[in-house]
Amino acid sequence: MARLIWCICRDGLGWNVIPRSLDEFFLLCDSDNSPTSIRLHLSLLAAVCWNLWLTRNNMVFRDKLLYFPLSLTFQIVANLLQWKKLFRPEEEARLELMTDRIKMVSTSLRSPRMGVG
């Protein structure tokens, strides 16, 4: 499930690989070292880790299985959009672009021609 989420992030954000560690994640984000880019990528990292953690805890402690793993990407996007208030107005457009790209990749995986969903 985690690999699927990181693959969606990779495809949506135009990365060449999926990060396998924090070092690799920050290397992928290092192309644009602006404070805005750093905040956006840290928010993405927080949203992905938080939602994977919640999903894992639900599976282990509550016996709740996630039957549709792509729904996790929409939870991540929802978190990012909720946190939009924490960004400056000029950063909000970049956050919306990032979430739109992630949604676009997730939605394309749900299409009947892809055989998923």
Side-chain angles (χ1 to χ4, degrees), residues 36-103:
T36 299
S37 180
I38 292 168
R39 277 192 292 277
L40 286 173
H41 286 101
L42 284 176
S43 296
L44 174 66
L45 179 64
V48 169
C49 290
W50 177 248
N51 283 285
L52 286 172
W53 177 259
L54 289 177
T55 301
R56 176 239 179 234
N57 283 352
N58 283 334
M59 288 171 60
V60 170
F61 298 115
R62 296 184 181 143
D63 289 330
K64 286 178 67 178
L65 295 177
L66 188 63
Y67 291 104
F68 188 60
L70 287 177
S71 66
L72 192 56
T73 59
F74 295 102
Q75 292 170 358
I76 291 166
V77 166
N79 282 140
L80 289 169
L81 292 176
Q82 284 178 329
W83 300 340
K84 184 168 88 169
K85 300 170 192 150
L86 302 173
F87 289 89
R88 295 183 198 126
E90 63 271 11
E91 297 171 333
E92 290 178 4
R94 288 185 63 185
L95 177 67
E96 288 177 3
L97 179 63
M98 182 171 72
T99 57
D100 286 346
R101 288 177 177 171
I102 292 171
K103 283 191 294 189

Side-chain angles (χ1 to χ4, degrees), residues 17-29:
V17 296
I18 62 171
R20 293 178 293 165
S21 67
L22 281 176
D23 289 337
E24 285 185 16
F25 177 81
F26 289 114
L27 284 174
L28 287 170
C29 304

Side-chain angles (χ1 to χ4, degrees), residues 6-7 9-19 24 27-29 31:
W6 285 116
C7 285
C9 290
R10 176 200 62 202
D11 294 348
L13 301 176
W15 296 341
N16 294 327
V17 296
I18 62 171
E24 285 185 16
L27 284 174
L28 287 170
C29 304
S31 60

